Amino acid sequence: MRRRRIAVFGSTGSIGKATLDVIGHLSTRFEVSVLVAHSSSRIIAAQARRFLPSMVVLSDQEACVRTRQLLGPGFRVESGLGPMLDAATSARTDIVVMAMSGTAGVLPVMAALERGKHVCLATKEILVSFGSEVTETAHRYGAQLLPIDSELAGLHQCLEHRSRESVRKVILTASGGPFRRTGPPERAAASQVLAHPTWRMGRKVTVDSATLMNKGLEAIEAVRLFELRPEQVEAVIHPQSIVHALIEFQDGSLLAQLANPDMRLPIQYCLTYPERLDSVIRPLNLSRVGRLEFAAVEERRFPCYRLARSALRLGPAATCVLNAANQVAVQAFLQGRIALGAIPRIISRTMLALGVAKKNVGRRSVRVLLRLEQKATTYAHCLVRSCPAPGGCPPHAENRKAVRDSRQ
């Protein structure tokens, strides 16, 4: 059997590294065709020496030069969008794993789907901002699109081959992060926010987990990916992170997917689907787990989750702006420029300023949504600059300069 060749986008991040662990474990089944990262030269050079890809791509030009120097003439090292698109569409690539942060990977994902590739998507933001176009492209070209996410992969397993008419609702679980009992405080140190009790993830997604924005984004993903209605998707807080997703049938029965909290398991599920192979993950021992707890999500304590649910009901333009503003606000928090409590205010005011805080079910192309994303990013940056560091945004008053800049 020929080994399937995988292009790993975002190979130096937590999901990318876990993907390479799975590929190494299943080396008789898979090999790496391309490694893609932003700027982590030393890490990607070490990965290239181990997995020997046909090409290494970095989006940062200076990092590309450094990586060429580290690897020498025996490796092909490129930079920019063109080589990324080549990596996604090459005949030497069978599977694309997209784990790049934010929406930078949307064009390679679309290109891979148009070639009928098997795409494993770890980047929530792509489905949140461009979901309808992405899923319709996958259907149009007969491409396989699977979610690398413990909850959405769990949902995929529960829903597989089941009639949607038999399903009343689906339930996503959230650990609740470090503030599950109180909701995120107005001010918290980054070290507190990043101290996730069960998962080890990248910094941005860990902040999203603390604010529960992560669960809001997953609800949007679930609606887009599984063709559900917004009211069919719920979330509950489950601090043990053992049950990842449930579905409730029309007769009241529940079906759940359980596993130890380790991202390598949903990654392997997506890579090997529809097969099931031995993994490096230890099996779940229920007697050792002891008990499983569940609690309702109190939306008043988690305004980011409430905003995401609202954007889902409003339509694609609203979810695109929500995601762009959240990315800016989370980065500003991690840089110490704003307080944690300023994140939902920046998101809300960006949505209001760009006129998406009202229902708009019309279809938007990727090109139109990319322009809207840029406007939202510009506006949110202006709001961040107007915040007294590391305080919150000025209350209520609209930032006229931000509005003017965002519309240029």
Side-chain angles (χ1 to χ4, degrees):
M1 181 185 297
R2 179 180 71 80
R3 294 190 297 172
R4 302 191 75 190
R5 295 165 295 203
I6 304 175
V8 184
F9 286 73
S11 69
T12 61
S14 59
I15 297 295
K17 290 175 181 176
T19 299
L20 293 178
D21 281 348
V22 173
I23 294 171
H25 169 64
L26 299 175
S27 58
T28 60
R29 294 289 191 113
F30 303 110
E31 63 180 295
V32 175
S33 61
V34 184
L35 293 171
V36 183
H38 175 56
S39 60
S40 300
S41 300
R42 292 191 179 279
I43 297 175
I44 203 169
Q47 292 173 342
R49 293 189 194 102
R50 178 185 175 191
F51 290 97
L52 303 176
S54 60
M55 182 168 62
V56 174
V57 184
L58 293 106
S59 56
D60 182 83
Q61 182 61 49
E62 292 183 5
C64 178
V65 173
R66 290 195 302 270
T67 306
R68 282 196 186 113
Q69 293 170 345
L70 288 168
L71 288 174
F75 290 85
R76 180 186 172 192
V77 182
E78 303 288 349
S79 178
L81 178 60
M84 287 187 193
L85 294 174
D86 290 342
T89 59
S90 169
R92 291 186 52 80
T93 295
D94 302 305
I95 301 173
V96 170
V97 172
M98 178 51 68
M100 292 173 66
S101 179
T103 57
V106 64
L107 295 180
V109 164
M110 294 293 284
L113 293 173
E114 288 171 0
R115 294 295 180 94
K117 304 286 186 185
H118 180 144
V119 175
C120 303
L121 189 58
T123 310
K124 290 179 174 59
E125 293 85 354
I126 289 177
L127 280 179
V128 169
S129 293
F130 312 105
S132 298
E133 289 295 316
V134 171
T135 55
E136 287 177 19
T137 300
H139 290 315
R140 189 180 310 127
Y141 293 95
Q144 184 83 62
L145 178 64
L146 292 174
I148 293 183
D149 180 284
S150 60
E151 289 78 16
L152 290 172
L155 197 53
H156 185 274
Q157 292 169 72
C158 290
L159 288 170
E160 188 179 21
H161 305 314
R162 299 184 189 280
S163 164
R164 292 296 184 271
E165 286 71 28
S166 69
V167 176
R168 179 180 295 162
K169 66 181 179 182
V170 304
I171 304 168
L172 302 169
T173 61
S175 71
F179 310 120
R180 63 184 173 86
R181 290 188 174 90
T182 62
E186 173 67 26
R187 297 179 185 276
S191 58
Q192 291 176 275
V193 178
L194 295 173
H196 197 284
T198 52
W199 292 99
R200 295 294 173 265
M201 306 174 289
R203 286 160 60 86
K204 194 266 183 183
V205 70
T206 305
V207 175
D208 283 347
S209 180
T211 65
L212 238 62
M213 175 60 86
N214 203 37
K215 212 50 49 181
L217 299 181
E218 286 173 12
I220 297 168
E221 283 187 283
V223 167
R224 305 264 168 83
L225 196 57
F226 301 115
E227 299 178 339
L228 301 167
R229 299 186 306 277
E231 61 271 18
Q232 283 183 286
V233 183
E234 294 183 5
V236 296
I237 290 179
H238 169 52
Q240 291 81 19
S241 297
I242 296 296
V243 179
H244 301 293
L246 308 93
I247 61 173
E248 179 183 308
F249 294 102
Q250 295 291 355
D251 62 5
S253 298
L254 288 172
L255 181 67
Q257 188 267 336
L258 292 76
N260 281 313
D262 190 316
M263 283 306 301
R264 291 175 296 179
L265 191 56
I267 290 169
Q268 178 167 316
Y269 173 77
C270 290
L271 292 180
T272 63
Y273 180 82
E275 290 185 275
R276 298 275 191 171
L277 304 176
D278 286 341
S279 78
V280 295
I281 312 306
R282 58 186 174 85
L284 180 63
N285 186 325
L286 286 174
S287 62
R288 189 170 295 170
V289 171
R291 69 183 199 180
L292 302 173
E293 301 170 278
F294 302 90
V297 175
E298 297 184 48
E299 290 193 12
R300 64 183 180 83
R301 295 184 185 273
F302 294 95
C304 283
Y305 178 75
R306 185 174 65 246
L307 284 167
R309 297 292 314 204
S310 174
L312 175 56
R313 292 189 292 270
L314 292 169
T319 57
C320 179
V321 170
L322 168 105
N323 178 65
N326 182 63
Q327 289 187 87
V328 171
V330 169
Q331 186 62 32
F333 166 73
L334 289 170
Q335 294 168 347
R337 299 169 63 195
I338 63 170
L340 185 65
I343 293 175
R345 291 195 290 275
I346 288 171
I347 297 168
S348 177
R349 288 169 199 176
T350 303
M351 292 176 67
L352 283 169
L354 270 67
V356 297
K358 54 186 177 181
K359 192 165 183 64
N360 184 347
V361 295
R363 180 172 172 175
R364 305 289 185 98
S365 69
V366 168
R367 182 171 298 187
V368 169
L369 289 170
L370 281 169
R371 288 200 297 268
L372 183 60
E373 179 187 57
Q374 184 55 54
K375 290 181 180 180
T377 299
T378 300
Y379 185 86
H381 275 302
C382 289
L383 285 179
V384 167
R385 287 196 294 271
S386 72
C387 291
C393 288
H396 306 302
E398 183 179 69
N399 186 314
R400 288 193 178 91
K401 181 179 185 302
V403 174
R404 185 172 64 250
D405 290 349
S406 71
R407 289 174 177 170
Q408 288 178 352

